[in-house]
Amino acid sequence: MMTTNQLRKRFLDFFKSKDHAIISSDSLMPKNDPSVLFTSAGMNQFKEQFLGKITNFSRVATSQKCLRTGDLEKVGHTPSHHTFFEMLGNFSFGDYFKKEAIAWAWEFLTKDLNIGPERLWVSVYEEDNESYNIWLEEIGIPEDKIYKFGQKENFWPANAIKDGPNGLCGPCSEIFFDWGEDTGCGKENCSPSCDCGRFVEIWNLVFTQFNRKEGGKLEPLPKKNIDTGMGLERMASCIQGVKTNFEIDIFKPIVDEIRKILGIKSMESVKKINCIADHIRAVVFAIGDGVLPSNEGRGYVIRKLIRRASWLAQELEFKKPFLYKLVAKICNLMNEPYPELTEKRENIASIIISEEERFMSNIKEGAGFLQGIITELKSQNINKIPGQTIFKLYDTYGFPLELTEVFAKDNNLELDLAGFNQEMAMQRQKARLASNIAADIFSKDILDFLPTQFVGYETTQQEAQITQIIKAKQNIDRIKEGDEAWVVLDKTTFYGESGGQIGDTGKITSVDKKSSVDVLDAKQIDGSIVHIVKVKNGEFKIQDSVIAKVDCQRRQAIRRSHTSTHLLHAALRKVLGQHVQQAGSLVEPDYFRFDFTHFKDLKEEELNKIQDLINEKIRANNKVGVEIIQKDRALESGAIALFGEKYGEQVRVVSIGDYSKEFCGGTHLDYTGNIGTVLIYSESSIGSGLRRIQVYTGELAYEKLRNNFQNIKNLSVMLKSTTEGVSREIESLVDKNRKLDKEVGSLTEKNISLQITDIIKDSKKVIKGKSYFVHQFKSLEVNVLRRASDLVINKLLKKSVVFLASDRGLFICRVSKDLKDKVSASDILGQILRPFGGSGGGRPDFAQGGIKDKGKTNQIMKEAQKIIKKELSK
């Protein structure tokens, strides 16, 4: 049996023999392409080639990691729908066209894979006679096995002629694998147009030969392109003779492991098990490419997949974290094509278990939130849970609809499913807009920037020529005093913002120095460095010779920060472990923030050790080396490539002694000693498995240290202590203050106990034989307020509700034991505080909570009177 790994290699080797460059898979997180949420097709990374902007190769082949969520509800329910999958593809950019694409597809399938021609059928666009004739006359497929379909089925994008978008488009030809007459509907006229399962589309050949204009006009392209896609898993199922992708060699072991962990027998709950297997594969690969769970964008999709898989297991009566246990299995199965996954295995697993635990905690929180809503609805005699509430449970807490249905049924309530579906439709529309390729992604009207040669590594001043001036997104010939515009030079010393490092600022002046502009920022865009400028005096026009001069002092401060990030990265990996990966950064003058993957808080001693290591390397004054070498050679030497980044065959490697070696295009110091010092001043969590450290460097670090020391000196004078003794003196003051607070609390308690009879007499009210007591105290801490509630409830004893407040925004509700089965302290507290933005919780007999806006306390006390009276009147 041919394995999936062998199939992938066969495909790439076949097209290598046809003079295709073999390009490694792009990241699932597209670089510099806001038009797509995830890489969803093989052609995504070749957008510039399709547009003719880059001509570094004319024919390539790839096995591309892809992630799509458009058919999420079908995953697990069909043999071949997935969120994550690999797409095999061969591409031509103005080189070969239909004849070669069709012939090579046929040759690969029938000769290399030995698939019998009788098992293959094809379809073409109904007006594409050229493709039809190639299949019929040159390949020799019988006429009755070639189907003509309309633009919905056989044109890319679907229905593009009729509905758009404008831009590159063309007909396509699909190849189908026939499982045989014993599969599917069994009808004599069954064909590739039937969805019974007998015919499986295995390869789509797209012939990009038109540029669609307004009104559906198709303008032939001077250079025609080929874009093909073959689903690796789907092809593997055909080759391995199994009817679903979940049975192939890289999927079945995951399915089996899930069954083993959950204790589910073979052939039981097939759809749910398959769905879990699909989702965990997608999650592992996405996190491996730097997509971390969050509440927005890509991270939200990954969080949703984890929660969906976790809930499916809970439906199968397994209520513990388990997805993280599957990471090792997936990494082992995919180690041959993607060995980098294994290196990140520990971190991926840690992030997933953290998400699983968070979801289970959210389920409990969501249950409390929903119970409060149910209580409120019942108090208002409303018998339906609103759609917005159901959606909030689903979206914020990850609360599955099925669980909301259980709560509703237990409380004799209906669900506003129409409202929920409307909210879901709005969310899907937002996701669709974010994940689909933008309408004008291949439009020829996109503004092109002319290329720039960056010479800023060697110098900070350079004579250059203006090649482009842009204002209000239009190319113009000149700019004058007061104008703000974008300027492109043929060469520049200005570093354009990228890789986390902000852009340079400075000046561009005319050679005669009569005219000048302030460079406010610089950006890297499509191989150009765009200078964002404001004309200070004179004027500039296209082809003017100018002098570009960077603000050297600011550049030096940025260099200090950027070199420090490399030292920090190495220190983190040494102290915390090799699982640490950079996940983002912002490099500014004498300041930087550094995001990295790690699954728990850093201890103070760890932070101190990291800071000490960095400053040790600064004092060592190591040389910072830079070399341009082949990517494979760089990786073999141990250089770290940041995930989510796309690199060419030649890479720039920055080394610091034998301590740090990274791929990096930023500006750096020559020696670490020029940093001066670093000061870590903040470390925090910014997401599941993601931490952020903020650091001062150089002059700013020295200034902060000097100010801190001055503050300590000032404190030592106030405390009449030495600078070394300040901490001890403050601890002594805090201890004294704590004792005084305790004494004040004790005196307050005694005072309340002496007055409690009079307080109850003034505030106690009775309704239907039940008493309630609502009272506000001044300046009580929560422990004293709790003690006061004990005194009151013990005095009232039977059939009573107590609601106490402190003007510090603290509240306690008590219910006597003989009433707690009829009235809940937790429910009452929720009803009272929720409308004022407060929160709290507890038991049927005791609950406490608080609000941020303490000025609302008087309003809350009035509302408490009404709500408690209403509850006791039932």
Side-chain angles (χ1 to χ4, degrees):
M1 180 188 78
M2 184 185 297
T3 66
T4 305
N5 285 338
Q6 289 169 339
L7 171 61
R8 185 192 299 105
K9 187 174 186 304
R10 282 257 187 119
F11 179 89
L12 296 176
D13 286 348
F14 175 83
F15 281 100
K16 187 176 182 180
S17 74
K18 305 298 182 186
D19 299 322
H20 286 62
I22 306 304
I23 306 298
S24 58
S25 173
D26 198 4
S27 167
L28 285 172
M29 186 165 53
K31 182 71 176 171
N32 298 326
D33 190 353
S35 66
V36 288
L37 199 61
F38 291 100
T39 299
S40 59
M43 51 71 61
N44 283 163
Q45 69 168 312
F46 302 118
K47 184 174 76 172
E48 302 300 303
Q49 284 82 3
F50 275 111
L51 290 171
K53 291 183 178 181
I54 298 178
T55 56
N56 50 352
F57 35 64
S58 61
R59 52 174 77 175
V60 301
T62 66
S63 180
Q64 174 62 51
K65 297 176 291 186
C66 299
L67 201 155
R68 300 177 185 174
T69 57
D71 293 320
L72 190 60
E73 300 305 321
K74 294 180 181 178
V75 173
H77 293 260
T78 71
S80 58
H81 275 93
H82 295 297
T83 50
F84 172 83
F85 60 95
E86 289 182 75
M87 183 70 81
L88 303 173
N90 58 292
F91 306 87
S92 167
F93 314 115
D95 190 342
Y96 63 84
F97 200 47
K98 293 179 183 178
K99 183 176 179 179
E100 294 87 346
I102 290 172
W104 288 338
W106 188 256
E107 180 185 345
F108 178 69
L109 292 172
T110 58
K111 298 292 192 295
D112 270 54
L113 300 186
N114 294 315
I115 298 175
E118 71 281 356
R119 304 204 75 163
L120 301 174
W121 300 52
V122 299
S123 68
V124 297
Y125 176 51
E126 58 192 0
E127 296 181 18
D128 186 8
N129 293 324
E130 183 183 1
S131 295
Y132 182 87
N133 290 331
I134 293 171
W135 283 116
L136 181 67
E137 297 170 6
E138 299 190 29
I139 304 301
I141 290 187
E143 191 174 359
D144 62 352
K145 296 183 76 174
I146 307 173
Y147 281 77
K148 290 185 175 183
F149 295 136
Q151 58 174 296
K152 181 181 178 182
E153 296 84 8
N154 276 74
F155 204 88
W156 183 88
N159 286 325
I161 303 173
K162 176 174 171 282
D163 301 328
N166 291 337
L168 302 188
C169 61
C172 59
S173 180
E174 296 179 326
I175 304 173
F176 297 85
F177 180 86
D178 181 4
W179 280 108
E181 294 178 358
D182 59 341
T183 300
C185 63
K187 296 178 182 176
E188 286 187 17
N189 62 347
C190 184
S191 73
S193 62
C194 183
D195 61 0
C196 67
R198 173 181 167 180
F199 293 94
V200 179
E201 179 216 324
I202 54 172
W203 206 340
N204 188 13
L205 316 178
V206 179
F207 311 123
T208 313
Q209 63 188 90
F210 300 115
N211 182 29
R212 184 193 189 273
K213 295 288 189 177
E214 284 303 320
K217 181 183 177 184
L218 299 181
E219 186 180 89
L221 293 172
K223 287 189 175 182
K224 299 173 173 60
N225 304 317
I226 291 292
D227 165 15
T228 85
M230 173 197 288
L232 174 67
E233 294 84 356
R234 189 177 293 188
M235 189 71 250
S237 75
C238 297
I239 292 296
Q240 294 175 14
V242 291
K243 293 293 180 68
T244 80
N245 296 1
F246 297 97
E247 298 174 79
I248 65 174
D249 61 318
I250 61 169
F251 241 121
K252 190 172 185 299
I254 304 171
V255 171
D256 291 344
E257 187 71 11
I258 293 168
R259 290 190 177 281
K260 180 181 174 183
I261 293 171
L262 303 190
I264 305 294
K265 294 178 182 178
S266 177
M267 301 316 294
E268 289 182 1
S269 306
V270 173
K271 293 177 181 178
K272 289 179 180 178
I273 299 293
N274 287 350
C275 193
I276 293 170
D278 168 89
H279 287 7
I280 188 58
R281 257 187 22 127
V283 166
V284 167
F285 271 90
I287 294 176
D289 273 0
V291 183
L292 298 173
S294 68
N295 286 330
E296 57 185 26
R298 299 179 180 113
Y300 177 74
V301 174
I302 301 310
R303 173 163 285 170
K304 182 178 178 181
L305 291 177
I306 293 172
R307 290 177 171 184
R308 204 164 182 267
S310 178
W311 176 248
L312 287 169
Q314 290 186 51
E315 286 190 320
L316 296 172
E317 300 302 321
F318 193 88
K319 303 186 185 299
K320 295 184 291 184
F322 78 100
L323 294 171
Y324 73 98
K325 296 179 180 179
L326 301 168
V327 175
K329 176 70 70 177
I330 293 167
C331 291
N332 290 339
L333 287 168
M334 305 304 291
N335 185 63
E336 184 176 321
Y338 304 108
E340 65 274 11
L341 268 188
T342 301
E343 297 171 14
K344 302 167 186 172
R345 184 175 70 187
E346 181 185 346
N347 199 52
I348 293 170
S350 298
I351 290 168
I352 291 172
I353 189 174
S354 174
E355 275 298 303
E356 290 186 90
E357 290 170 346
R358 181 194 296 260
F359 175 55
M360 290 175 180
S361 172
N362 281 1
I363 288 288
K364 291 179 182 177
E365 285 184 37
F369 169 77
L370 180 54
Q371 193 58 59
I373 293 292
I374 288 171
T375 302
E376 204 167 317
L377 291 174
K378 284 184 172 181
S379 71
Q380 298 172 34
N381 294 319
I382 298 172
N383 66 350
K384 183 179 285 189
I385 302 175
Q388 286 185 327
T389 298
I390 304 169
F391 178 76
K392 182 176 180 179
L393 284 162
Y394 174 83
D395 193 52
T396 303
Y397 296 98
F399 222 65
L401 180 61
E402 297 87 343
L403 189 54
T404 306
E405 287 174 339
V406 170
F407 271 81
K409 187 176 180 181
D410 290 346
N411 287 275
N412 296 316
L413 293 173
E414 299 175 10
L415 296 179
D416 175 19
L417 293 178
F420 171 72
N421 290 331
Q422 185 177 353
E423 295 286 337
M424 286 293 290
M426 289 167 63
Q427 186 197 54
R428 288 193 189 102
Q429 180 63 17
K430 289 178 185 176
R432 198 172 293 120
L433 290 172
S435 62
N436 287 347
I437 295 175
D440 63 353
I441 184 173
F442 286 138
S443 170
K444 286 293 182 181
D445 300 323
I446 294 174
L447 184 65
D448 288 325
F449 293 98
L450 296 176
T452 307
Q453 179 188 356
F454 178 62
V455 295
Y457 296 132
E458 299 83 24
T459 181
T460 55
Q461 182 171 318
Q462 175 69 41
E463 189 169 331
Q465 188 178 66
I466 296 176
T467 57
Q468 196 172 13
I469 301 173
I470 301 149
K471 188 175 181 182
K473 297 185 180 179
Q474 297 292 321
N475 282 306
I476 58 175
D477 295 330
R478 66 185 64 217
I479 46 176
K480 62 184 185 304
E481 187 173 327
D483 284 349
E484 294 183 8
W486 295 356
V487 171
V488 179
L489 307 177
D490 62 341
K491 60 184 72 170
T492 187
T493 55
F494 285 81
Y495 183 87
E497 181 180 340
S498 66
Q501 179 176 325
I502 63 171
D504 282 327
T505 61
K507 290 185 180 298
I508 296 174
T509 59
S510 58
V511 174
D512 62 11
K513 298 187 179 178
K514 291 181 180 179
S515 303
S516 69
V517 302
D518 289 329
V519 179
L520 309 175
D521 199 358
K523 306 280 187 185
Q524 283 195 38
I525 303 175
D526 293 339
S528 299
I529 294 179
V530 179
H531 307 77
I532 299 168
V533 307
K534 183 172 184 177
V535 184
K536 193 173 181 181
N537 51 62
E539 71 168 19
F540 292 87
K541 57 184 184 298
I542 297 295
Q543 296 187 339
D544 275 358
S545 292
V546 296
I547 297 169
K549 187 176 181 181
V550 169
D551 180 336
C552 296
Q553 189 174 349
R554 183 174 181 274
R555 163 74 78 84
Q556 184 72 353
I558 293 171
R559 292 170 76 195
R560 286 194 289 264
S561 293
H562 204 149
T563 302
S564 298
T565 67
H566 287 228
L567 292 176
L568 172 62
H569 194 187
L572 286 167
R573 289 168 68 85
K574 185 170 183 179
V575 174
L576 304 180
Q578 296 299 301
H579 65 277
V580 169
Q581 296 278 345
Q582 182 175 344
S585 65
L586 174 64
V587 179
E588 294 184 344
D590 282 338
Y591 160 85
F592 70 89
R593 70 171 187 239
F594 189 90
D595 300 339
F596 61 99
T597 55
H598 189 56
F599 39 86
K600 57 184 177 182
D601 296 352
L602 270 66
K603 298 173 184 174
E604 188 174 352
E605 54 265 34
E606 289 174 327
L607 276 174
N608 288 337
K609 190 172 183 181
I610 290 163
Q611 182 168 271
D612 290 345
L613 275 171
I614 298 170
N615 283 303
E616 179 186 309
K617 297 303 176 184
I618 291 171
R619 291 191 297 274
N621 199 26
N622 293 125
K623 181 174 175 53
V624 180
V626 176
E627 60 178 335
I628 309 295
I629 57 174
Q630 287 285 328
K631 181 175 70 173
D632 291 343
R633 194 175 136 220
L635 290 170
E636 287 170 7
S637 73
I640 296 173
L642 305 186
F643 58 47
E645 295 285 339
K646 184 69 176 174
Y647 299 99
E649 288 308 305
Q650 294 276 323
V651 294
R652 185 172 185 264
V653 176
V654 176
S655 303
I656 302 175
D658 59 356
Y659 182 68
S660 168
K661 184 180 282 190
E662 295 188 23
F663 289 26
C664 184
T667 59
H668 287 273
L669 299 167
D670 296 325
Y671 290 90
T672 59
N674 292 331
I675 295 171
T677 190
V678 301
L679 175 65
I680 295 174
Y681 77 91
S682 169
E683 191 279 331
S684 61
S685 170
I686 57 169
S688 181
L690 192 60
R691 315 290 303 176
R692 171 172 291 169
I693 282 180
Q694 298 187 76
V695 182
Y696 295 128
T697 65
E699 292 178 10
L700 188 56
Y702 172 73
E703 183 184 321
K704 295 291 182 184
L705 288 169
R706 185 186 63 200
N707 291 343
N708 288 346
F709 185 68
Q710 186 60 50
N711 288 335
I712 291 172
K713 284 177 69 177
N714 293 341
L715 283 171
S716 70
V717 172
M718 292 168 62
L719 296 168
K720 298 178 181 179
S721 166
T722 63
T723 53
E724 291 80 7
V726 165
S727 177
R728 186 173 58 253
E729 288 295 326
I730 290 175
E731 284 178 7
S732 176
L733 283 174
V734 170
D735 187 54
K736 287 177 183 177
N737 192 54
R738 191 182 296 114
K739 288 176 181 176
L740 286 171
D741 280 346
K742 194 172 181 181
E743 288 177 19
V744 169
S746 179
L747 289 170
T748 304
E749 272 188 43
K750 288 177 181 177
N751 187 42
I752 290 172
S753 64
L754 291 171
Q755 300 177 46
I756 197 69
T757 303
D758 292 335
I759 293 172
I760 291 174
K761 185 178 178 182
D762 292 339
S763 300
K764 175 183 173 183
K765 295 182 181 178
V766 178
I767 183 169
K768 292 189 175 180
K770 303 161 197 166
S771 60
Y772 63 98
F773 177 84
V774 178
H775 187 80
Q776 179 180 340
F777 292 96
K778 288 185 178 180
S779 305
L780 292 195
E781 294 290 349
V782 68
N783 57 330
V784 181
L785 191 66
R786 193 180 297 120
R787 177 61 185 145
S789 74
D790 289 338
L791 292 170
V792 176
I793 201 77
N794 289 336
K795 283 279 186 182
L796 296 176
L797 290 177
K798 296 181 180 180
K799 293 186 178 180
S800 56
V801 174
V802 174
F803 187 83
L804 302 183
S806 165
D807 55 9
R808 295 188 175 187
L810 304 171
F811 303 89
I812 286 178
C813 185
R814 300 287 296 268
V815 173
S816 59
K817 291 181 180 180
D818 56 350
L819 271 186
K820 69 177 184 177
D821 292 335
K822 298 176 182 178
V823 180
S824 167
S826 180
D827 288 349
I828 289 174
L829 186 75
Q831 286 186 61
I832 294 168
L833 296 186
R834 200 177 294 116
F836 297 93
S839 61
R843 308 183 304 268
D845 62 331
F846 177 92
Q848 69 180 53
I851 56 167
K852 291 181 180 178
D853 186 353
K854 298 168 188 174
K856 294 179 178 177
T857 302
N858 290 336
Q859 292 174 260
I860 289 172
M861 300 309 287
K862 290 178 183 177
E863 192 63 25
Q865 294 273 6
K866 296 177 188 176
I867 289 173
I868 295 172
K869 184 178 180 181
K870 181 183 69 177
E871 288 294 316
L872 294 179
S873 298
K874 292 179 180 177

mmCIF file of all heavy atoms in Angstrom, residues 824-847:
data_model
loop_
_atom_site.group_PDB
_atom_site.id
_atom_site.type_symbol
_atom_site.label_atom_id
_atom_site.label_comp_id
_atom_site.label_asym_id
_atom_site.label_seq_id
_atom_site.Cartn_x
_atom_site.Cartn_y
_atom_site.Cartn_z
ATOM 1 N N SER A 824 -33.617 32.011 47.126
ATOM 2 C CA SER A 824 -32.174 31.815 47.039
ATOM 3 C C SER A 824 -31.432 33.137 47.220
ATOM 4 O O SER A 824 -31.697 34.119 46.518
ATOM 5 C CB SER A 824 -31.791 31.214 45.686
ATOM 6 O OG SER A 824 -30.406 31.279 45.467
ATOM 7 N N ALA A 825 -30.486 33.155 48.160
ATOM 8 C CA ALA A 825 -29.663 34.355 48.383
ATOM 9 C C ALA A 825 -28.866 34.700 47.132
ATOM 10 O O ALA A 825 -28.723 35.869 46.767
ATOM 11 C CB ALA A 825 -28.720 34.114 49.565
ATOM 12 N N SER A 826 -28.340 33.681 46.458
ATOM 13 C CA SER A 826 -27.546 33.903 45.241
ATOM 14 C C SER A 826 -28.388 34.534 44.134
ATOM 15 O O SER A 826 -27.958 35.467 43.456
ATOM 16 C CB SER A 826 -26.954 32.570 44.761
ATOM 17 O OG SER A 826 -26.193 32.771 43.602
ATOM 18 N N ASP A 827 -29.630 34.035 43.955
ATOM 19 C CA ASP A 827 -30.521 34.583 42.927
ATOM 20 C C ASP A 827 -30.907 36.028 43.234
ATOM 21 O O ASP A 827 -30.926 36.884 42.343
ATOM 22 C CB ASP A 827 -31.791 33.728 42.816
ATOM 23 C CG ASP A 827 -31.509 32.384 42.163
ATOM 24 O OD1 ASP A 827 -30.392 32.219 41.623
ATOM 25 O OD2 ASP A 827 -32.383 31.506 42.221
ATOM 26 N N ILE A 828 -31.227 36.287 44.505
ATOM 27 C CA ILE A 828 -31.621 37.649 44.902
ATOM 28 C C ILE A 828 -30.463 38.623 44.661
ATOM 29 O O ILE A 828 -30.651 39.708 44.101
ATOM 30 C CB ILE A 828 -32.052 37.677 46.380
ATOM 31 C CG1 ILE A 828 -33.397 36.957 46.543
ATOM 32 C CG2 ILE A 828 -32.165 39.113 46.884
ATOM 33 C CD1 ILE A 828 -33.840 36.799 47.989
ATOM 34 N N LEU A 829 -29.272 38.229 45.087
ATOM 35 C CA LEU A 829 -28.104 39.097 44.899
ATOM 36 C C LEU A 829 -27.881 39.391 43.410
ATOM 37 O O LEU A 829 -27.610 40.526 43.017
ATOM 38 C CB LEU A 829 -26.865 38.430 45.494
ATOM 39 C CG LEU A 829 -25.598 39.301 45.493
ATOM 40 C CD1 LEU A 829 -25.684 40.371 46.570
ATOM 41 C CD2 LEU A 829 -24.347 38.440 45.701
ATOM 42 N N GLY A 830 -28.020 38.347 42.567
ATOM 43 C CA GLY A 830 -27.841 38.531 41.127
ATOM 44 C C GLY A 830 -28.848 39.495 40.543
ATOM 45 O O GLY A 830 -28.501 40.375 39.737
ATOM 46 N N GLN A 831 -30.115 39.333 40.927
ATOM 47 C CA GLN A 831 -31.172 40.231 40.428
ATOM 48 C C GLN A 831 -30.905 41.686 40.816
ATOM 49 O O GLN A 831 -31.139 42.600 40.030
ATOM 50 C CB GLN A 831 -32.521 39.813 41.001
ATOM 51 C CG GLN A 831 -33.120 38.560 40.394
ATOM 52 C CD GLN A 831 -34.523 38.337 40.947
ATOM 53 O OE1 GLN A 831 -35.414 39.170 40.773
ATOM 54 N NE2 GLN A 831 -34.704 37.217 41.636
ATOM 55 N N ILE A 832 -30.377 41.871 42.021
ATOM 56 C CA ILE A 832 -30.157 43.232 42.524
ATOM 57 C C ILE A 832 -28.944 43.887 41.855
ATOM 58 O O ILE A 832 -29.000 45.036 41.411
ATOM 59 C CB ILE A 832 -29.977 43.217 44.058
ATOM 60 C CG1 ILE A 832 -31.290 42.772 44.740
ATOM 61 C CG2 ILE A 832 -29.565 44.597 44.572
ATOM 62 C CD1 ILE A 832 -31.135 42.454 46.219
ATOM 63 N N LEU A 833 -27.826 43.163 41.757
ATOM 64 C CA LEU A 833 -26.571 43.765 41.299
ATOM 65 C C LEU A 833 -26.419 43.824 39.777
ATOM 66 O O LEU A 833 -25.793 44.748 39.257
ATOM 67 C CB LEU A 833 -25.377 43.000 41.888
ATOM 68 C CG LEU A 833 -25.214 43.017 43.408
ATOM 69 C CD1 LEU A 833 -23.898 42.349 43.799
ATOM 70 C CD2 LEU A 833 -25.247 44.447 43.948
ATOM 71 N N ARG A 834 -26.967 42.835 39.074
ATOM 72 C CA ARG A 834 -26.703 42.728 37.629
ATOM 73 C C ARG A 834 -27.075 43.991 36.851
ATOM 74 O O ARG A 834 -26.301 44.456 36.006
ATOM 75 C CB ARG A 834 -27.403 41.498 37.056
ATOM 76 C CG ARG A 834 -26.801 41.036 35.729
ATOM 77 C CD ARG A 834 -27.464 39.763 35.217
ATOM 78 N NE ARG A 834 -27.200 38.644 36.090
ATOM 79 C CZ ARG A 834 -28.126 37.983 36.775
ATOM 80 N NH1 ARG A 834 -29.391 38.321 36.689
ATOM 81 N NH2 ARG A 834 -27.806 36.972 37.538
ATOM 82 N N PRO A 835 -28.239 44.605 37.090
ATOM 83 C CA PRO A 835 -28.585 45.814 36.331
ATOM 84 C C PRO A 835 -27.629 46.983 36.564
ATOM 85 O O PRO A 835 -27.597 47.930 35.772
ATOM 86 C CB PRO A 835 -29.999 46.162 36.829
ATOM 87 C CG PRO A 835 -30.539 44.887 37.384
ATOM 88 C CD PRO A 835 -29.357 44.189 37.964
ATOM 89 N N PHE A 836 -26.849 46.921 37.642
ATOM 90 C CA PHE A 836 -25.921 48.011 37.962
ATOM 91 C C PHE A 836 -24.472 47.653 37.596
ATOM 92 O O PHE A 836 -23.529 48.330 38.006
ATOM 93 C CB PHE A 836 -26.007 48.344 39.459
ATOM 94 C CG PHE A 836 -27.365 48.856 39.879
ATOM 95 C CD1 PHE A 836 -28.338 47.985 40.355
ATOM 96 C CD2 PHE A 836 -27.682 50.209 39.775
ATOM 97 C CE1 PHE A 836 -29.594 48.438 40.728
ATOM 98 C CE2 PHE A 836 -28.930 50.676 40.147
ATOM 99 C CZ PHE A 836 -29.894 49.793 40.613
ATOM 100 N N GLY A 837 -24.314 46.569 36.851
ATOM 101 C CA GLY A 837 -22.973 46.159 36.440
ATOM 102 C C GLY A 837 -22.197 45.436 37.517
ATOM 103 O O GLY A 837 -20.985 45.257 37.405
ATOM 104 N N GLY A 838 -22.903 44.991 38.564
ATOM 105 C CA GLY A 838 -22.239 44.281 39.649
ATOM 106 C C GLY A 838 -22.201 42.787 39.400
ATOM 107 O O GLY A 838 -22.803 42.272 38.461
ATOM 108 N N SER A 839 -21.482 42.070 40.245
ATOM 109 C CA SER A 839 -21.397 40.620 40.117
ATOM 110 C C SER A 839 -21.217 40.002 41.493
ATOM 111 O O SER A 839 -20.857 40.683 42.458
ATOM 112 C CB SER A 839 -20.228 40.223 39.222
ATOM 113 O OG SER A 839 -19.005 40.682 39.783
ATOM 114 N N GLY A 840 -21.467 38.717 41.563
ATOM 115 C CA GLY A 840 -21.318 38.016 42.831
ATOM 116 C C GLY A 840 -21.894 36.623 42.722
ATOM 117 O O GLY A 840 -22.326 36.185 41.654
ATOM 118 N N GLY A 841 -21.885 35.904 43.821
ATOM 119 C CA GLY A 841 -22.411 34.546 43.806
ATOM 120 C C GLY A 841 -22.325 33.929 45.179
ATOM 121 O O GLY A 841 -21.863 34.552 46.137
ATOM 122 N N GLY A 842 -22.779 32.683 45.257
ATOM 123 C CA GLY A 842 -22.743 32.005 46.548
ATOM 124 C C GLY A 842 -23.706 30.848 46.592
ATOM 125 O O GLY A 842 -23.967 30.192 45.581
ATOM 126 N N ARG A 843 -24.298 30.618 47.773
ATOM 127 C CA ARG A 843 -25.194 29.488 48.003
ATOM 128 C C ARG A 843 -26.623 30.001 48.180
ATOM 129 O O ARG A 843 -26.851 31.218 48.285
ATOM 130 C CB ARG A 843 -24.757 28.730 49.259
ATOM 131 C CG ARG A 843 -23.293 28.336 49.285
ATOM 132 C CD ARG A 843 -22.982 27.521 50.552
ATOM 133 N NE ARG A 843 -23.343 28.232 51.777
ATOM 134 C CZ ARG A 843 -22.507 29.011 52.456
ATOM 135 N NH1 ARG A 843 -21.279 29.212 52.018
ATOM 136 N NH2 ARG A 843 -22.907 29.605 53.571
ATOM 137 N N PRO A 844 -27.596 29.102 48.280
ATOM 138 C CA PRO A 844 -28.978 29.540 48.534
ATOM 139 C C PRO A 844 -29.143 30.305 49.850
ATOM 140 O O PRO A 844 -30.024 31.155 49.971
ATOM 141 C CB PRO A 844 -29.761 28.211 48.577
ATOM 142 C CG PRO A 844 -28.965 27.285 47.734
ATOM 143 C CD PRO A 844 -27.538 27.645 47.975
ATOM 144 N N ASP A 845 -28.252 30.027 50.860
ATOM 145 C CA ASP A 845 -28.403 30.694 52.147
ATOM 146 C C ASP A 845 -27.411 31.849 52.361
ATOM 147 O O ASP A 845 -27.563 32.636 53.294
ATOM 148 C CB ASP A 845 -28.264 29.687 53.297
ATOM 149 C CG ASP A 845 -26.894 29.036 53.327
ATOM 150 O OD1 ASP A 845 -26.282 28.913 52.236
ATOM 151 O OD2 ASP A 845 -26.424 28.658 54.420
ATOM 152 N N PHE A 846 -26.374 31.948 51.495
ATOM 153 C CA PHE A 846 -25.377 33.010 51.664
ATOM 154 C C PHE A 846 -24.777 33.385 50.306
ATOM 155 O O PHE A 846 -24.389 32.522 49.523
ATOM 156 C CB PHE A 846 -24.260 32.536 52.596
ATOM 157 C CG PHE A 846 -23.150 33.558 52.765
ATOM 158 C CD1 PHE A 846 -23.202 34.472 53.805
ATOM 159 C CD2 PHE A 846 -22.080 33.615 51.874
ATOM 160 C CE1 PHE A 846 -22.202 35.419 53.951
ATOM 161 C CE2 PHE A 846 -21.085 34.566 52.021
ATOM 162 C CZ PHE A 846 -21.133 35.476 53.060
ATOM 163 N N ALA A 847 -24.693 34.691 50.037
ATOM 164 C CA ALA A 847 -24.059 35.161 48.801
ATOM 165 C C ALA A 847 -23.441 36.527 49.046
ATOM 166 O O ALA A 847 -23.945 37.316 49.850
ATOM 167 C CB ALA A 847 -25.086 35.237 47.667
#
